[in-house]
């Protein structure tokens, strides 16, 4: 996966070196970077300041190779204690359990665990989860930002509203519009399930609301009164595209408030991928834009776990995406449109929100930047026009939607940004989560059956099981458990505390060289409910 | 299948006596069941064909009631009864429970002979192991109580334990208790035998018939709606076990029966190579949380784990308890414990792990009695895993209750009316039973408080008091302060403070008591039950005169201490009534009387729209100002003279305290100390409290709790209802003749009984005992329930006890009986009889000398008293 980049070194010189290498480890790490045969893929290459948007990613051999020197240059060992490690890993964890009513849980979703571990400072990943209140179903999504977190933040706040509105029947839209019109209280559309650290921008809420309202007004106007069935797939695609066009439009129009004006431009000039799942009964839709991934955990009859991928990565590894890009642009661009596995040699994901640099015409870009605030003008990155930029747009936010009908053997869904998938194979991810969840909730019960088991044998077996359980119980959250493995796994596939401690104690500026932001949502399905649905049909 | 092995239903049933048994004799087909038609009416309908339902039916029919229908939703004896481990044990903590178990034991013993149905009854005896000294103390306490009610038992050494059971590891034991007459029996067969006997007596039994709900007309049971039609009836008995809660709620007028099921596991093994003798005793290793009995050549062992699994919270119903999932991981600690106790079992082969839900109640005692809201609706359920042991006795008491109107023993501790609506929350029950189930095998120490389901009812001052170091206990859901920990003082952690000896709060309570005696203290007593009775005419007075034994026709503003008696002259309630106006009365009763007293009043009050009874418990915060300086604090706050001349004792006046108006001030305390009760409308509570505390500062005011109160009232021989007094205690038996006005010019409930008793003399007498040779620091403390010996003969049991800081001695209250040395019959107890005896109190097997007193130590009363206050000493002169 890692691409050899001869470009890296010159680039790094452009950066504010003092900011990256202002630490005591300067020499050592420079050496480290230079000697590295591979340098990591940054999502978006060619990003001058902020400097830490540029990164390198070490290979494993390299890690061992440099260890000796590392100790030499930093005599004091700063190992984190297990509680310290836990407090870092658990800082962003969140769990939601679908409440039971009258002792009955009618939702096909039992609940979800989510967590994120930053590598960038501030983290560029975002996550969202919400229950649709006016329609059935639950929305869950992970968003991987690049060139800052503005776009991923905006998408994480806004996308679910667009989806929910797209799913609403005509009458409900009318009702909402009338309520707004007459200043009455609005029907709540979404119930968010947020970690305290997941914030919403207060300043932009009015602006975002107006854009959303325009959208539903158009939906009301467009309604011909014929089809009452709302197609989830279509709704998802419309919502994605509409939000992206609103982001683009807001940046073009600007805002009289200078803070907001700068904000909408930052949103438009940064980018974000999105992977969103909509679960309603047994109907699971995954809408994906970019290279985050949705993976279904399936438990086979023999108890083993297998992974079913429900999304396609939109990047150079995907033949169909390469094909699409080539078809969308003239033949003479065939070589330049994707270079070194990147869009126009720059961008790793082939689909994304924002990133107007890859969408707007050069004229438009220049016009907006010139009329924009000074901060924008001073920004090298925004001014920079991609090479071979002939026939924009090169980038779209249109998602690819996958439908899956849930079966009782489908136990959970993992949504995660590429930070996870880079470090772990999907099969391992599903196995680790699967074993964790069954260990906690329905560890394979022991039954004596017709076998001859003595009390002593049983006792030995149970003691062993309990010892195993206690290690699993360290994490109350499947996503945390997964991150622990992703960051701390050694060659044997078990968590190595020493490694974990080292990875987590990296200085802020260096963390991004060793890992990407990781954001994970693990959605657990209720097999009983899913089974009941199946029997109904 | 397991239940076949456990002989749930024996096929070789005798041919005789099944004429009233309809349907499903041995798994009848559904078609057959449908063809049966239910009778349209009956006197009694019993729901539940487990051991409780069949026992009630059996006893009712024995007592002559014949028109009885018993309905079972599945098959007879197929619920918890079928899965019961079959251990009958009489070693219980409460005397009433010991008596029930003892009766059950005797009943089951002769049941096979009576009915011809094999019950598998084997008198194995049981051995209760003690791994710690504290456990041994607990066993010794039970042992001394068992002995005095005629159940043989003894404390034995570990060596003797090894002789009784060949497989036991006894190295870690400090002792044990052996109860040789305990037994094992097949509970399903007992239930079938009881059903068979009942059936021969005319009880009609229908299985596969579900009760949907009970029909109620005008607060009285009128019939039962089943899935096979309606039955009109006068009485309904809910013996639905773990479904009793749901069934109670299914009524239009719901009946709250607080109980909840938990999964319970036990292990069955294949036979041992050399099977144990069939009479090998049952082992209870409470410290190891397990019980072990001999079972078909192998063993049956289960326990009560620390982390129980509550089940059916959402009220899932099902016909019979399915064989629930075995959970070996959950059983692991108990298995470890078993292998530690019997190491040789390592090689023994497992047959099965049985999961059988058991039902638990919020206070670990079973539930019986009549619903306070629906007349004729009786309940017997919530056996806390002792259904087999209690089945016979509990069924008998309930049958007596239905037939005679009251049971032959005091069962207040088990009465459904001890609970209120507040215990009917599913969440509360779920949380509480998780605490109760482990408690079955936890060490039961004095003054233990439940930790779950707390802070439900609180006074408005709760936070203020808590911030000042209050430690809390709960009564009827209400938080009450025990004592106040001074800021610089550290008490032991909860677990460590479990002791049978001198507790760590001793000095704290001492200083509170001292302050009550010398200065002034505030006790928040808001938990008291408070009723107001008003009428437009004289109805209120008339009704109260009939219900209460004292004369309530007193001038307005006077307070009367009085009992509310039953026909037998026993206390249904002991309360204080203030006459607020000619036509309205304010009644203060113990906290746990809220439901019972309300039901009693409702039952006896005429349906008169002019008569209004209101529960105002929640409206008033009650503060007790105790101590000689209380009068100073109050007069300073009200600018009114509070001296006895202006405000005589036992007087009630509405006045202002601080800025707050309309405070009911009563010149009485519940301890015999000088002081006042303030009944404050709750919105003024904080204000009045703050004022009292700030003005009281110069008089040395401080907070005090119920432990100080308890010490003060017991040293002054003040009996409390629910602890010392009960429905079988008359005023004459506790020296309260002066609170009874036999000649008040009209009849009142219990008058005839009292007249008769006055003539014949009493058969027991509440007596105060002062322990003589008891070392407070080193000896075990008395609690309650300790046997009293008079001249070496058992004479009764204590009902409560406390350390008197004034006398510097322990004081116990208890009833002295006069058992004939020859026949054991009860004889008249005279003052002379009491005074002439030499007394000993048995605390966990150790007897302490005690001085008996019929009247309080007069030197304790230092303040000026009105005549009525001296009532106890009045008797002395007569």
């Amino acid at each position: 996966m890692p691409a050899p980049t001869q470009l890296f070194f010159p680039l790094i010189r452009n950066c504010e070196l003092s900011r990256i290498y202002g630490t005591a480890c300067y020499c050592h790490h420079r050496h480290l970077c230079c000697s590295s045969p591979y340098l990591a893929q940054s999502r978006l290459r060619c990003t001058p300041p902020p400097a830490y948007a540029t990164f390198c990613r070490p290979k494993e051999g390299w890690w061992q190779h440099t260890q000796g020197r590392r100790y030499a240059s930093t005599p004091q060992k700063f190992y984190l204690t297990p509680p310290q490690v836990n407090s870092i890993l658990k800082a962003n964890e969140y769990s939601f359990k679908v409440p039971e009513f009258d002792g009955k849980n009618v939702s096909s979703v039992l609940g979800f665990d989510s967590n994120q571990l930053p590598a960038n400072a501030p983290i560029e990943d975002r996550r969202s989860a919400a229950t649709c209140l006016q329609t059935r179903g639950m929305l869950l999504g992970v968003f991987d930002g690049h060139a800052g977190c503005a776009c991923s933040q905006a998408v994480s706040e806004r996308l679910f509203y667009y989806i929910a509105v797209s799913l609403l029947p005509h009458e409900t839209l009318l009702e909402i519009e009338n309520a707004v019109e007459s200043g009455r209280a609005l029907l709540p559309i979404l119930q968010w399930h947020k970690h305290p650290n997941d914030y919403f921008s207060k300043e932009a809420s009015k602006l975002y609301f107006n854009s959303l309202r325009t959208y539903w007004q158009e939906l009301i106007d467009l309604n011909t009164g014929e089809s009452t069935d709302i197609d989830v797939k279509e709704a998802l695609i419309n919502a994605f595209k509409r939000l992206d066009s609103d982001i683009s439009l807001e940046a073009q129009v600007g805002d009289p408030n200078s803070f907001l004006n700068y904000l909408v431009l930052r949103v438009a000039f940064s980018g974000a991928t999105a992977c969103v799942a909509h679960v309603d009964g047994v109907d699971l839709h995954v809408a994906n834009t970019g290279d985050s991934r949705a993976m279904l955990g399936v438990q086979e009859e023999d108890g083993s776990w297998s992974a079913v991928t429900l999304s396609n990565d939109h990047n150079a590894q995907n033949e169909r995406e390469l094909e699409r890009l080539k078809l969308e642009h003239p033949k003479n661009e065939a070589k330049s449109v994707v270079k070194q596995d990147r869009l126009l040699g720059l961008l790793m994901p082939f689909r994304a929100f924002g990133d107007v640099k890859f969408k707007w015409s050069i004229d438009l870009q220049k016009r907006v930047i010139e009329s924009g605030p000074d901060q924008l003008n001073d920004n090298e990155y925004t001014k920079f026009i991609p090479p071979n930029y002939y026939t924009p747009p090169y980038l779209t936010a249109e998602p690819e939607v996958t439908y899956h009908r849930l079966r009782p053997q489908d136990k959970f869904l993992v949504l995660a940004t590429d930070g996870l998938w880079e470090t772990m194979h999907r099969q391992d991810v599903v196995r680790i989560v699967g074993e964790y969840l069954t260990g906690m909730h329905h560890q394979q019960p022991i039954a004596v059956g017709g076998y001859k088991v003595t009390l002593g044998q049983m006792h030995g077996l149970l003691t062993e099981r309990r010892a195993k359980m206690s290690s699993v119980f360290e994490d109350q959250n499947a996503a945390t458990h997964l991150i622990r493995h992703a960051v701390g796994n050694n060659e044997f596939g078990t968590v190595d505390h020493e490694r974990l401690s080292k990875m987590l104690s990296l200085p802020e500026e260096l963390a991004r060289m060793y890992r990407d932001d990781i954001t994970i949502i693990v959605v657990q399905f209720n097999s009983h409910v899913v089974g009941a649905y199946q029997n109904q049909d | 299948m397991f239940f076949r092995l456990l002989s749930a239903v024996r096929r070789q049933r005798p041919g005789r006596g099944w004429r009233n048994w309809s349907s499903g004799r041995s798994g009848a087909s559904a078609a057959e069941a449908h063809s049966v038609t239910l009778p349209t009416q009956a006197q009694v309908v019993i729901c539940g064909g487990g051991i409780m339902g069949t026992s009630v039916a059996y006893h009712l029919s024995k007592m002559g009631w014949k028109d009885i229908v018993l309905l079972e939703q599945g098959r007879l004896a197929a619920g918890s009864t079928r899965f019961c481990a079959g251990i009958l044990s009489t070693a219980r903590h409460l005397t009433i429970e010991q008596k029930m178990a003892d009766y059950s034991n005797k009943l089951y013993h002769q049941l096979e002979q009576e009915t011809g149905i094999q019950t598998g009854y084997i008198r194995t005896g049981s051995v209760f192991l003690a791994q710690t000294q504290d456990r041994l103390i607990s066993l010794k306490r039970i042992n001394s109580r068992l002995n005095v009610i005629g159940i043989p038992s003894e404390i034995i050494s570990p060596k003797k334990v090894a002789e009784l059971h060949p497989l036991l590891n006894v190295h870690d034991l400090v002792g044990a208790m052996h109860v040789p007459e305990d037994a094992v029996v097949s509970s399903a067969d007992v239930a079938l035998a009881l059903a068979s006997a009942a059936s021969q007596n005319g009880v009609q039994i229908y299985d596969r018939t579900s009760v949907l709900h009970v029909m109620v007309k005008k607060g009285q049971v009128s019939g039962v709606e089943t899935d096979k039609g309606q039955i009109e009836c006068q009485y309904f008995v809910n013996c639905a076990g773990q479904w009793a809660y749901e069934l109670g709620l299914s009524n239009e007028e719901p009946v709250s029966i607080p109980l909840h099921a938990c999964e319970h596991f036990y292990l069955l093994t294949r036979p041992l190579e050399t099977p144990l003798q069939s009479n090998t005793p049952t082992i209870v290793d409470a410290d190891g949380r397990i019980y072990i009995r001999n079972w078909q050549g192998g063993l049956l062992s289960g326990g009560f784990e620390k982390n129980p699994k509550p089940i059916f919270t959402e009220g899932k119903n099902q016909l019979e308890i399915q064989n629930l999932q075995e959970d070996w991981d959950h059983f692991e600690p108990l298995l470890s414990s078993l292998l530690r106790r019997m190491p040789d079992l390592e090689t023994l082969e497992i047959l099965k792990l049985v999961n059988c839900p058991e039902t638990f109640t919020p206070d670990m005692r079973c539930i019986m009695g009549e619903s306070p809201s629906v007349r004729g609706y009786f309940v017997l359920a919530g056996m806390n895993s002792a259904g087999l042991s209690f089945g016979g006795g509990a069924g008998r008491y309930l049958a007596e209750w239905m037939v005679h109107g009251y049971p032959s023993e005091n069962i207040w501790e088990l009465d459904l009316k001890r609970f209120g609506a507040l215990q009917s929350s599913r969440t509360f029950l779920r949380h509480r039973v998780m605490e109760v189930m482990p408690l079955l095998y936890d060490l039961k120490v004095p003054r233990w408080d439940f930790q779950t389901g707390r802070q439900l009812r609180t006074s408005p001052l709760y936070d203020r008091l808590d911030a000042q170091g209050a430690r809390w206990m709960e009564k009827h859901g209400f938080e009450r302060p025990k004592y106040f920990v001074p800021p610089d003082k550290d008490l032991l952690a909860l677990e460590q403070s479990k002791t049978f000896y001198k507790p760590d709060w001793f000095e704290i309570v001492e200083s509170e008591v001292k302050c009550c005696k010398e200065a002034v203290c505030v006790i928040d007593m808001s938990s008291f039950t408070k009723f107001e009775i008003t009428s437009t005419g004289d109805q209120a007075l008339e009704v109260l005169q009939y219900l209460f034994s004292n004369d309530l026709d007193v001038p307005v503003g006077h307070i009367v201490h009085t009992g509310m008696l039953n026909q037998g002259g026993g206390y249904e309630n002991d309360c204080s009534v203030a006459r607020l106006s000619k036509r309205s009365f304010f009644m203060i009763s113990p906290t746990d009387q809220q439901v019972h007293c309300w039901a009693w009043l409702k039952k006896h009050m005429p349906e008169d729209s002019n008569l209004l009874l209101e529960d105002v418990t929640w409206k008033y915060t009650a503060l007790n100002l105790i101590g000689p300086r209380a009068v100073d604090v109050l007069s300073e706050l009200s600018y009114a003279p509070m001296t006895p001349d202006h405000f005589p004792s036992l007087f009630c006046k509405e006045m202002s305290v601080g800025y707050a108006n309309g405070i009911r001030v009563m010149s009485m305390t519940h301890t015999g100390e000088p002081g006042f009760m303030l009944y404050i409308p709750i919105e003024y509570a904080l204000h009045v409290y703050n004022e009292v505390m700030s003005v009281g500062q110069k008089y040395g005011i401080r907070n005090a709790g119920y432990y100080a109160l308890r010490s003060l009232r017991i040293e002054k021989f003040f009996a409390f209802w629910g602890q010392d007094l009960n429905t079988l205690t008359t005023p004459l038996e506790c020296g309260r003749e002066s609170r009874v006005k036999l000649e008040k010019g009209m009849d009142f409930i219990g008058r005839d009984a009292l007249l008769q008793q006055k003539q014949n003399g009493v058969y027991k007498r509440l007596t105060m005992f002062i322990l003589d040779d008891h070392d407070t620091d080193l000896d075990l403390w008395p609690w309650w329930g300790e046997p009293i010996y008079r001249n070496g003969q058992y004479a009764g049991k204590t009902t409560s006890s406390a350390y008197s800081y004034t006398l510097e001695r322990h004081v116990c209250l208890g009833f002295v009986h006069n058992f004939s040395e020859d026949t054991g019959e009860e004889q008249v107890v005279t003052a002379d009889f009491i005074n002439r005896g030499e007394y000993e109190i048995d605390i966990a097997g150790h007897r302490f000398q005690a001085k008996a007193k019929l009247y309080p130590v007069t030197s304790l009363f230092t303040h000026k008293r009105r005549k009525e206050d001296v009532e106890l000493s009045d008797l002395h002169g007569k």
Side-chain angles (χ1 to χ4, degrees), chain A residues 102-104 443-459 461-463 465-466 469, chain B residues 267 269-270 314 325-329 331-333 335-339 345-353:
Chain A
D102 277 343
K104 289 174 204 87
Q443 180 176 27
Q444 204 68 20
I446 305 181
V448 178
Y451 301 106
K452 277 189 154 194
V453 186
T454 69
L455 291 177
Q457 286 167 338
M458 179 59 87
H459 185 232
L461 183 63
L462 293 175
T463 321
R465 275 163 71 95
R466 198 176 53 165
M469 289 272 277
Chain B
L267 168 81
T269 73
R270 297 201 181 274
E314 63 280 13
Q325 285 251 308
E326 54 192 316
D327 186 343
W328 279 101
D329 294 299
F331 194 71
E332 189 266 341
L335 179 61
S336 301
S337 181
L338 172 65
L339 289 176
L345 298 189
E346 285 266 352
T347 53
L348 186 60
E349 204 181 311
I350 294 166
L351 178 67
K352 194 175 172 66
L353 185 67

Side-chain angles (χ1 to χ4, degrees), chain B residues 560-793:
Chain B
V560 178
H561 290 310
T562 179
M564 208 161 74
L565 309 183
N566 52 32
Q567 294 294 347
Y571 276 102
E572 287 296 329
N573 185 7
D574 181 31
C575 46
S576 306
V577 182
R579 190 165 193 184
L580 298 175
S581 73
K582 277 204 99 59
R583 285 156 189 175
S584 78
F585 295 85
F586 186 64
M587 183 179 157
I588 303 147
S589 321
T591 310
D592 48 4
Q593 274 278 358
Q594 199 169 15
V595 176
H596 178 75
C597 178
W598 180 268
W600 183 266
L601 287 171
K602 277 285 175 195
K603 188 169 160 188
H604 292 91
M605 267 170 51
E607 296 229 3
D608 183 341
S609 56
N610 293 321
L611 198 59
L612 183 72
L613 174 66
E614 194 191 355
D615 184 346
V616 294
T617 304
W618 62 275
K619 281 188 180 174
Y620 292 96
T621 296
L623 284 186
N624 192 359
L625 286 181
I626 306 185
R629 307 313 297 270
V631 57
D632 301 305
V633 174
L634 214 53
S635 54
E636 195 169 322
L637 273 172
S638 58
Y639 286 94
M642 300 299 291
T643 55
D645 303 334
H646 296 90
F647 207 126
S649 172
L650 285 178
F651 202 69
C652 167
K653 199 154 76 177
E654 278 205 2
M655 51 192 283
S656 56
V657 175
Y659 299 149
N661 209 353
I663 311 293
R664 281 181 191 159
V665 178
M666 301 185 187
S667 49
M668 62 172 279
T669 62
H670 296 269
T671 55
E673 297 295 326
F676 296 90
M677 285 297 303
L678 310 184
Y679 284 89
I680 309 159
I682 50 167
E683 68 264 39
Y684 297 145
L686 200 57
H687 171 75
V688 172
Y689 176 79
N690 287 342
E691 290 295 303
V692 164
M693 290 310 270
S694 76
V695 167
Q697 216 160 31
K698 59 174 168 287
Y699 302 104
I701 202 164
R702 57 179 293 167
N703 292 301
Y706 269 72
Y707 282 2
L709 190 85
R710 182 184 172 82
S711 166
L712 287 167
R713 70 108 179 155
I714 288 177
E715 73 179 13
K716 284 192 210 62
F717 204 172
F718 272 43
F720 263 29
W721 193 91
Q723 285 173 41
D724 311 301
L725 311 180
N726 59 45
T727 52
L728 296 180
T729 323
T730 71
L732 305 188
E733 290 162 352
C734 52
R736 288 184 166 187
E737 222 162 1
S738 63
R739 292 188 183 182
V740 178
K741 298 288 183 296
L742 289 168
E743 309 305 332
K744 68 180 174 182
M746 64 175 293
D747 190 26
F748 60 87
I749 303 176
R751 181 165 177 268
D752 293 343
L754 292 185
L755 278 173
Q756 205 177 359
Q757 201 175 41
K758 195 171 178 182
Q759 202 163 13
N760 298 344
V762 295
Y763 287 86
K764 63 181 177 202
R765 185 68 161 82
L766 187 68
T767 311
M768 177 164 114
F769 295 95
I770 300 170
L771 295 191
D772 265 345
D773 56 348
H774 184 272
D775 187 321
T776 309
D777 292 318
L778 300 177
D779 285 327
L780 287 172
W781 274 34
W783 185 4
W784 58 271
E786 290 89 10
I788 300 164
Y789 289 89
R790 178 184 178 275
N791 299 342
Q793 295 291 315

Side-chain angles (χ1 to χ4, degrees), chain B residues 786-807:
Chain B
E786 290 89 10
I788 300 164
Y789 289 89
R790 178 184 178 275
N791 299 342
Q793 295 291 315
Y794 170 66
K797 279 199 224 43
T798 63
T799 50
S800 57
S801 72
Y803 181 79
S804 162
Y805 293 93
T806 326
L807 302 171

